[in-house]
Amino acid sequence: QKEVEQDPGPLSVPEGAIVSLNCTYSNSAFQYFMWYRQYSRKGPELLMYTYSSGNKEDGRFTAQVDKSSKYISLFIRDSQPSDSATYLCAMSPTPNNNDMRFGAGTRLTVKP
Amino acid sequence: DADVTQTPRNRITKTGKRIMLECSQTKGHDRMYWYRQDPGLGLRLIYYSFDVKDINKGEISDGYSVSRQAQAKFSLSLESAIPNQTALYFCATSNGGGRVTEAFFGQGTRLTVV
């Protein structure tokens, strides 16, 4: 069993839809949770990060962590064609990037 | 110019050949990383370095070696390339300091071993 599971999609939604992206994990030591966005032919870039459980909001994006269920989510409100990308979840038991474990990524397309 | 630059961007090589992927950064970060990305497997860490004299193995270091030539330069070598090393390779950098810091990725090197 992989430490981090993420449905690869692809996921296609119309512009303006609410998008829900999810990851599950098996390692209860994970404390730091991140979402990276990766555009085609580009490297990943950090979108959001949360520590432990709870919600974090940044504009149209909300990250949720439920440690009791070992489940994290990223919600995108009012989705735009520019949100079309692959979204990677990542998590770590420490603040160190070398301990990060990544999900496989979910490919999202937002259609105008 | 990109903060993290990888060369080459694309490479096709034959089985058994030695190949080097290079990475340079202008972010002034101490920490550098090499990852490979495969469909369905996500990003996996190959090697990382916290400073010029520090080299550490990641999850999947077998078949790879690295060299940290300077604070800004970190190269990845495949001593004898094999087809299952065909993948997208990313270099990344970050600050240290005991708190979560963003990893900055290069644009990737697409390597095909035939």
Side-chain angles (χ1 to χ4, degrees):
Chain A
Q1 183 188 8
K2 293 181 192 175
E3 278 189 292
V4 181
E5 298 276 2
Q6 183 176 11
D7 185 341
L11 181 61
S12 181
V13 301
E15 183 175 353
I18 296 173
V19 176
S20 171
L21 304 168
N22 311 296
C23 290
T24 59
Y25 62 94
S26 58
N27 187 346
S28 58
F30 288 144
Q31 297 277 0
Y32 300 86
F33 303 91
M34 287 142 281
W35 286 95
Y36 278 81
R37 179 174 59 195
Q38 183 177 16
Y39 290 115
S40 181
R41 289 187 287 279
K42 300 285 189 183
E45 55 182 358
L46 183 66
L47 190 59
M48 295 187 73
Y49 121 78
T50 54
Y51 170 71
S52 196
S53 285
N55 294 358
K56 186 172 185 179
E57 189 173 320
D58 184 0
R60 296 183 296 109
F61 298 88
T62 300
Q64 285 186 353
V65 175
D66 181 349
K67 291 187 68 181
S68 62
S69 301
K70 295 191 179 72
Y71 188 88
I72 70 170
S73 301
L74 178 70
F75 297 96
I76 307 174
R77 291 184 299 281
D78 187 25
S79 57
Q80 303 295 309
S82 58
D83 295 327
S84 297
T86 296
Y87 290 81
L88 305 163
C89 63
M91 44 198 82
S92 174
T94 72
N96 297 321
N97 286 302
N98 55 284
D99 290 325
M100 268 201 302
R101 295 295 180 264
F102 285 84
T106 299
R107 191 170 172 186
L108 171 68
T109 300
V110 181
K111 295 185 175 180
Chain B
D1 287 343
D3 293 324
V4 183
T5 303
Q6 292 182 232
T7 55
R9 292 293 311 278
N10 292 281
R11 181 73 182 266
I12 300 174
T13 192
K14 292 185 178 180
T15 298
K17 292 290 188 183
R18 184 179 188 275
I19 183 169
M20 180 183 288
L21 309 183
E22 298 187 335
C23 177
S24 63
Q25 54 115 346
T26 58
K27 305 252 345 143
H29 291 163
D30 288 327
R31 300 184 175 192
M32 298 188 73
Y33 313 81
W34 275 104
Y35 291 90
R36 66 177 279 177
Q37 187 175 36
D38 299 277
L41 294 177
L43 283 160
R44 292 179 293 166
L45 183 64
I46 306 172
Y47 270 95
Y48 63 100
S49 169
F50 282 2
D51 63 43
V52 175
K53 296 181 180 179
D54 176 74
I55 300 289
N56 303 281
K57 292 182 177 181
E59 292 175 77
I60 53 163
S61 59
D62 287 350
Y64 301 95
S65 62
V66 291
S67 174
R68 185 80 183 265
Q69 300 95 327
Q71 187 206 30
K73 295 184 182 294
F74 192 37
S75 60
L76 175 72
S77 293
L78 286 67
E79 297 301 325
S80 180
I82 56 177
N84 78 359
Q85 291 177 314
T86 293
L88 189 53
Y89 289 84
F90 286 101
C91 174
T93 73
S94 74
N95 267 326
R99 57 184 180 87
V100 170
T101 56
E102 180 176 357
F104 292 86
F105 288 82
Q107 298 210 17
T109 294
R110 185 167 295 280
L111 176 66
T112 303
V113 183
V114 297

